């Protein structure tokens, strides 16, 4: 497609949403229970990577950046993901711990928006997760200086070869200190359900004094 064809295509599409309501009565009083209900439906709908989420971070000056990461755990009502602490997201989280997550399950016409503060998980939690990864992923974590400029693809593959040689007799590879988990402690979780005529349902949970409060906002 040419760019002109792309423009014409996106201008010609107007898809309405199905009529699957999200009512206050039917929503769990706890957003994590509600997340589990929706997650089960996402798995049942064979959505690819239902645990993928868009993570947005920002510099201390408020310049945002977004990327997809995998949710790998939920610990004490916090969403956990793993990455390189020296990556762009790691640098941004070190100077500004506030971040948001967005989960879009298009096949179900749903999104979940999550906002909160991020901290590192404990080294022992990161160690346990790293230990359980396949050897190739462990080597990948060591080999990649995530977000740093690379001369070419070969440079990365040479790093991998050197590490494969170094660890050829063992799969007991230590976790790099620059790699581990983060946990986002949410203060706002929104469940969004597409409805006809753009009159979508938006149910919002906000945490106040340790309690989740439920409200509805306009689409
Ligand atoms: C489906 C999918 C899952 C991903 N999961 C992760 C992940 O769990 N951790 C991670 O560091 N990067 C993951 N990535 C790569 C990130 O999107 C991103 O390229 C990388 O983390 C560097 O981001 P940064 O330079 O903004 O720090 C994933 C990408 C995709 C498309």
């Amino acid at each position: 497609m040419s760019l002109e064809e792309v423009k014409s295509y996106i201008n010609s599409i107007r898809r309405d949403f199905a009529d699957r309501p999200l009512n206050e009565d039917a929503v769990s009083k706890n957003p994590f229970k509600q997340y589990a209900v929706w997650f089960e439906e996402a798995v049942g709908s064979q959505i690819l990577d239902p645990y993928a989420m868009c993570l947005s971070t920002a510099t201390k000056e408020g310049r945002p950046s977004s990327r997809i990461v995998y949710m790998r755990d939920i610990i004490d009502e916090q969403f956990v993901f793993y990455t390189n602490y020296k990556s762009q997201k790691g640098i941004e989280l070190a100077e500004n711990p506030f971040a948001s997550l967005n989960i879009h399950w298009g096949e179900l016409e749903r999104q979940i928006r999550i906002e909160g503060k991020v901290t590192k998980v404990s080294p022992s939690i990161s160690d346990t997760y790293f230990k359980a990864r396949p050897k190739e992923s462990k080597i990948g974590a060591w080999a990649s200086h995530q977000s740093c400029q690379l001369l070419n693809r070969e440079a990365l593959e040479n790093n991998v070869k050197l590490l494969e040689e170094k660890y050829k007799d063992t799969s007991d590879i230590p976790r790099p200190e620059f790699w581990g988990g983060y946990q986002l402690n949410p203060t706002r979780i929104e469940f969004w359900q597409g409805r006809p005529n753009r009159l979508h349902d938006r149910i919002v949970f906000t945490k106040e004094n340790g309690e989740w409060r439920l409200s509805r906002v306009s689409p």
Side-chain angles (χ1 to χ4, degrees), residues 49 52 57 65-72 81-84 87-90 146-147 179:
D49 292 350
T57 54
S65 67
S66 301
R67 78 290 290 154
I68 304 293
V69 292
Y70 283 137
M71 184 192 301
R72 286 302 186 194
F81 56 92
Y82 287 88
T83 192
N84 186 308
S87 63
Q88 182 181 347
K89 69 183 98 48
Q146 197 176 53
S147 318
W179 193 98

Side-chain angles (χ1 to χ4, degrees), residues 14-22 108-109 192-201 219:
R14 281 205 75 76
R15 186 180 70 80
D16 206 359
F17 291 84
D19 203 1
R20 190 201 304 252
L22 180 66
L108 291 167
E109 302 178 329
W192 184 101
Q193 177 71 62
R195 299 287 303 276
N197 307 320
R198 305 298 188 258
L199 300 176
H200 313 302
D201 284 326

Side-chain angles (χ1 to χ4, degrees), residues 17 43 54 67-68 106 163 167 171:
F17 291 84
V43 172
C54 178
R67 78 290 290 154
I68 304 293
L163 287 156
Y167 292 113
S171 59

